[in-house]
Amino acid sequence: MKPSLSIVAMLLLLGAAVFCAQRWGRETGRAACAAQVLDVQAVLRRQSQALDTMREEGARRSARVRQALATAQTGQADAQAAAARILALQPAGGACLAAEALIASEMP
């Protein structure tokens, strides 16, 4: 028993419809995937820029901290030198007189 020509034609049309639907689905899926990839790339670019900005700010803050530390160390060395000068003058008339003399000598 041979299938009728109309049944064969309907089966061919059904197969063509399924093939087209699969192809359309793949193309739609690819387009959606490409759009998601572009969105993710944009997010990564923004995050990378934010990270670069944070790194630059961290470097600036680190430089300021290093400068403040160097200034503090210089101040500490100056204070130690002044204390040494006061102690060196102490036998001449006591610590108070030595401090007064040192202060007077360093005032403009």
Side-chain angles (χ1 to χ4, degrees):
M1 175 171 138
K2 283 177 115 182
S4 69
L5 190 58
S6 62
I7 292 177
V8 171
M10 284 194 295
L11 288 174
L12 284 174
L13 284 174
L14 180 62
V18 168
F19 174 78
C20 289
Q22 286 175 339
R23 185 177 175 107
W24 178 80
R26 272 195 304 270
E27 289 174 3
T28 303
R30 285 183 189 147
C33 183
Q36 286 178 342
V37 167
L38 291 175
D39 289 344
V40 168
Q41 286 175 338
V43 168
L44 289 175
R45 264 193 304 278
R46 285 192 302 271
Q47 288 176 344
S48 179
Q49 290 170 346
L51 184 59
D52 290 343
T53 301
M54 286 189 280
R55 281 186 186 130
E56 291 169 4
E57 180 63 23
R60 281 193 295 272
R61 287 182 182 188
S62 179
R64 283 195 300 260
V65 167
R66 280 193 301 272
Q67 186 178 17
L69 179 61
T71 301
Q73 288 172 340
T74 301
Q76 181 183 10
D78 291 345
Q80 288 173 346
R85 287 193 302 268
I86 290 171
L87 291 174
L89 295 175
Q90 185 176 358
C96 291
L97 292 175
E100 288 174 2
L102 180 64
I103 291 170
S105 70
E106 291 188 4
M107 291 193 68

